[in-house]
Amino acid sequence: MGAALRVGAAFAGTVVGAGFASGQEILQFFGLYGLQAGWGVGLAGALLAGYGYLILRAGARFQARSHRELLTGLATPPLAALLDGLLLLFLLGGLAAMAAGAGAVAREQLGLPAPAGSALLVAGAATAVLFGLEGVVRTIAAVVPWLLGAVLLVALGNLATHPLDPGWAPPAPAVLPAWPLAAVAYGSYNLILAVGVLGPLGRASPRQALLPGALVGAAILASGALAIHFSLFTLEPQVLQETELPMVLLATRLAPGLGPAYSLVLLAEIFTTAVANLFGLVARLDRSPFPRPAPPRGPARGAVSRWRTTTLAVSVLAWLMAQVGLAALVRNLYTLMGVAGVTLLAALSRQALGELRR
């Protein structure tokens, strides 16, 4: 049970970040379709549970140290190469979105310049990644209980004190034509971003902990997403259009001092996903996700130096990309990731069906 909770917490913490905890992600993928899109959250949760387990199991089967080994085992060489390139791009984009979210919090809640908030987030993530997979998992798992508690407190508190608006109209058109498609896109893009951590985590975890761990992680994510989804309908559409952080706004409305407090939780949640994305990128580019202290001489010293150099270079690039802004990244890049992630789900489905036939 302890191992399953560890896997579930790492799974949830990898997915949760700036878009989720701020409410912007749930608004774009579900809120813009109206109240009925709550069913889409349930569909997305089922996808996360099922395919999250398949990724963990594939990571164990192919002894994945990065997403490269997992993709090579799942797909043909041309498709694996395509997915590998896309995943590198998406992990970088996801890391940039986390940095942009930190910048938005710094600007709207702390009065700091957005680039400074982004820089602090990226620097902290880089520090955690230098400790390898175990440091990443411990960092992520430590934040998840605070995440779920804060999201439920703010969302359910607003639902209890403010009625849903029956005449609520979307503040902007949705990107995809229907909420079932948005739910599939939401599940697939979150899974493709989580591959960089879930693959190595499946390799390093007991086999019997993988399925319950996937179920725990998906349950955490679905319950939080449902609470956020319905709480958004207590805000006026115009207000949602004017802020990048609707959940912080809901926290402030519930209690004036709760807004700054939720901002700190939001930063911690953003941090966990930034750590996961950065680790996935560096593990793939470095091909050695378990760095060891460097001896005075020998090739291992160069390997650790390469790990550090890669981490620094990727961090700086993500910070530069973060200057685009959170809302733009969530709306455009995240939707593209969702569509592309369906290819990964198809490869996982094919593997699972092949095992059933055998």
Side-chain angles (χ1 to χ4, degrees), residues 63-80:
Q63 291 295 289
R65 290 182 175 270
S66 73
H67 70 254
R68 181 174 182 268
E69 292 84 0
L70 189 144
L71 295 177
T72 301
L74 285 174
T76 61
L79 181 57

Side-chain angles (χ1 to χ4, degrees), residues 91-102:
L91 286 171
L92 180 60
L95 177 58
M98 299 308 105

Side-chain angles (χ1 to χ4, degrees), residues 181-227:
L181 293 176
V184 173
Y186 178 80
S188 63
Y189 105 78
N190 274 305
L191 286 165
I192 202 169
L193 284 179
V195 164
V197 169
L198 291 185
L201 184 59
R203 173 184 179 274
S205 301
R207 296 290 180 93
Q208 64 269 25
L210 301 184
L211 179 57
L215 292 174
V216 168
I220 292 172
L221 293 166
S223 60
L226 272 175

Side-chain angles (χ1 to χ4, degrees), residues 14-30 86 89-102 121 175-176 181-193 269-270 273-274 277 321-322 324-342:
T14 300
V15 171
V16 170
F20 182 98
S22 68
Q24 188 66 235
E25 184 178 289
I26 305 303
L27 172 65
Q28 298 291 344
F29 278 92
F30 303 105
L86 287 173
L89 173 64
F90 295 160
L91 286 171
L92 180 60
L95 177 58
M98 299 308 105
L121 185 280
V175 175
L176 296 172
L181 293 176
V184 173
Y186 178 80
S188 63
Y189 105 78
N190 274 305
L191 286 165
I192 202 169
L193 284 179
E269 294 161 0
I270 292 170
T273 300
N277 287 2
M321 291 177 61
V324 172
L326 175 60
L329 283 167
V330 169
R331 184 170 181 82
N332 299 307
L333 179 64
Y334 279 29
T335 303
L336 176 62
M337 284 191 285
V339 174
V342 172

